[in-house]
Amino acid sequence: MQTKVENNKAWFLVLPVFLIVAFSAIIPLMTVVNYSVQDIFDPYTRYFVGTEWFKQVMLDSRLQEALLRQFIYSFTIIIIEVPLGICVALMMPTKGRGASLALILVAIPLLIPWNVVGTIWQIFGRADIGLFGAFMSSIGVDYNYASDPTDAWLTVVLMDVWHWTPLVALLCYSGLRAIPEVYYQAARIDQASRWAVFRYIQLPKLTNVLIIGVLLRFMDSFMIYTEPFVLTGGGPGSSTTFLSQALVQQAIGQFDLGPAAAFSLVYFLIILLVCWVFYTTIMNMQKDK
Amino acid sequence: MASITLNALAHTYTDNPTKPEDYAIREMSHVWEQGGAFALLGPSGCGKSTLLNIISGLLEPSHGEVLFDGKRVNELKPEERNIAQVFQFPVVYDTMTVFDNLAFPLRNIGVPEYKVKSKVYEVAEILELSDQLKRKAKGLSADQKQKVSMGRGLVRDDVSAILFDEPLTVIDPQLKWKLRRKLKQIHEQFNITMVYVTHDQLEASTFADKIAVMYNGKIVQFGTPRELFEKPAHTFVGYFIGSPGMNFFEAELKSQDDKKEVLMFGDYEISISDAMLTRLKAMGANKVTLGIRPEFVHVWDGKNNDAFPVEVDYVEDLGTYKILSFLFQGQVMKARLSEDQKVPSGQIYVSFPEQWTKVYVDEYLVDVSDQAHSEDPKKETGHAN
């Protein structure tokens, strides 16, 4: 019995979304693809070069180093920020005036613009006028983020932890608040230790927000630009030059649009790939066997 | 295993309680004897769960004492009281398997693994979870999850008591009946004190030997299902137990010309014993509430001069029996008709056997039968209120 009516008008309802996505993502992306396969001298003089730019950027040792640096950086801050964020969330009060106060205090770093964060830490870390720098030199540590690569790294990581741990903490906090009281009651009846409560009640219930938290932190940190740019300018040397900064130097500084476009695409695919691998792994881990 | 004594217990959630309504539990004393299967029955919001949480230690009472085997445990945390509690909605540890879930309370107190294993298998067998043991608890259905929750309550056999807070709410009716039987069996097998909170009288009477009926933060009666049915100590018990509940009507003590006092409901005299009359007079109670169960209202087939003429309102057929609603002096009352009784209509005659006509003053039963001399103290405080 055929009762289904063929009606394709529904496609018109999807059309606006197609248009928006086309203008917001597909067309700009295609422009980049377009650049990445051509050598452009001026709008009328351009040559199709195929995969040459891709080969070039993949073999560029400067970019390879930046990529490695980028991975180390992203994983370092995730390893620090996620456990720290969970700890902060666990310590935040859940009731009364203290709860709102804690929320505001924790959220403050998130409200500060990126370049201001860079500036704050640039001053904060200076040995002559900065609190942190002065403190370090007063306890006898030779600390100078402008000349010592290790100090520069330390400062950049510290800055990111300060800026973004609150995001993880707030996500975890909301996850913790969503756990019904009866779970804690049952755990007390079962004589569970504090650790067991965390391990078997809180952590499992936090998995979903943690996935979002880690993905957000990975993507954001992998694309970090403003803060290290303001703080160290990528130096000393190129010790804190991360991928996006290397990209900008190439695209704007040297105006090598072709390689820069090819590099952008590789960059984009790396983020996509890592996120996908991460997401599928977690989702598979969660599945009921 | 322990007997649980509540001594002058009261609880309020407000900081500055002023009136009785501020109390979730109004001052009460009560003893749950060791090894009994008890039900705590009452409507939603009467304080059942509060009372349960006070026993388990999740809540600290604002007044009075909780004693386990005569030892004060007010200050002990739930984990120190060695008590099991099953909640209304299933609580399982999602990431653990069913086996680990059931083993969790045992492992927490350091029971050796071989004992854990045998105990978990035993409980899983009882709850019919044996084939689920290797599964993650997360993927279970709601009633399986609740079985796991119950199982965690049952694995420790040295607990002081097992408390159930309406544990079968999420379970299918058929399985409900089965699980209730299981709990009863477990009780008989291990002789653990069990307190079962419910608002379902059927559930209470199938599970428990003795039922405590709770109303407005107080236990108004504690007795066997039969006692609750035949001799409700409080009008609420009469109303709440039985389906339909007890008929209540207000009557007045009036003196006749010959100086003898009689109990009148409108134009009719209700016969009660002389002992009761004397008692009421001694109490100085003029207005009383009379209660009679629909099952005990006698419906006469024909005209009877000793019975009261009433108007039939309607008859509900409930399959095996019928419920007759009638108007007596303008008040709706119910009587239960047996299957073979003919369905009356129009004006009929009913009478209230003296034995089953209960007299209540200020909501509490006035009892003049033999046991009445051993008045329980609750009743006296009831009068004082």
Side-chain angles (χ1 to χ4, degrees), chain B residues 233-245:
Chain B
H234 187 275
T235 50
F236 177 77
V237 179
Y239 155 80
F240 196 69
I241 307 278
S243 167

Side-chain angles (χ1 to χ4, degrees), chain A residues 188-191 200 205 288, chain B residues 78 93 108-109 152 156:
Chain A
R188 294 183 71 184
I189 297 290
D190 291 339
Q191 309 190 6
Y200 298 113
K205 299 270 174 207
D288 189 13
Chain B
Y93 303 106
N108 283 334
I109 51 174
R152 283 208 320 275
R156 285 176 288 160

Side-chain angles (χ1 to χ4, degrees), chain A residues 182-193 196-197 199-201 204-205 207 285-289, chain B residues 56 58 77-79 82-85 87 91-96 104-105 108-109 135-136 139 152 156:
Chain A
V182 67
Y183 277 82
Y184 296 112
Q185 294 182 337
R188 294 183 71 184
I189 297 290
D190 291 339
Q191 309 190 6
S193 62
V197 170
R199 173 69 189 79
Y200 298 113
I201 296 175
K205 299 270 174 207
T207 326
M285 271 164 53
Q286 280 197 307
K287 266 197 199 128
D288 189 13
K289 50 178 171 178
Chain B
S56 66
L58 292 170
K77 294 190 198 112
E79 44 272 48
N82 197 22
I83 199 156
Q85 185 171 3
F87 299 90
V91 176
V92 294
Y93 303 106
D94 284 343
T95 48
M96 293 187 200
F104 191 60
N108 283 334
I109 51 174
R135 277 187 72 182
K136 276 255 168 72
R152 283 208 320 275
R156 285 176 288 160

Side-chain angles (χ1 to χ4, degrees), chain B residues 97-130:
Chain B
T97 61
V98 172
F99 182 93
D100 290 338
N101 258 282
L102 294 176
F104 191 60
L106 294 173
R107 287 176 178 160
N108 283 334
I109 51 174
V111 173
E113 202 59 28
Y114 70 94
K115 273 192 194 161
V116 170
K117 219 169 184 174
S118 66
K119 192 70 203 176
V120 167
Y121 283 141
E122 185 187 336
V123 169
E125 193 60 45
I126 295 173
L127 294 172
E128 293 169 20
L129 283 169
S130 302

Side-chain angles (χ1 to χ4, degrees), chain A residues 208-222:
Chain A
N208 287 328
V209 290
L210 281 179
I211 291 172
I212 295 174
V214 171
L215 279 180
L216 278 178
R217 281 319 298 133
F218 173 76
M219 289 188 293
D220 277 351
S221 68
F222 210 75

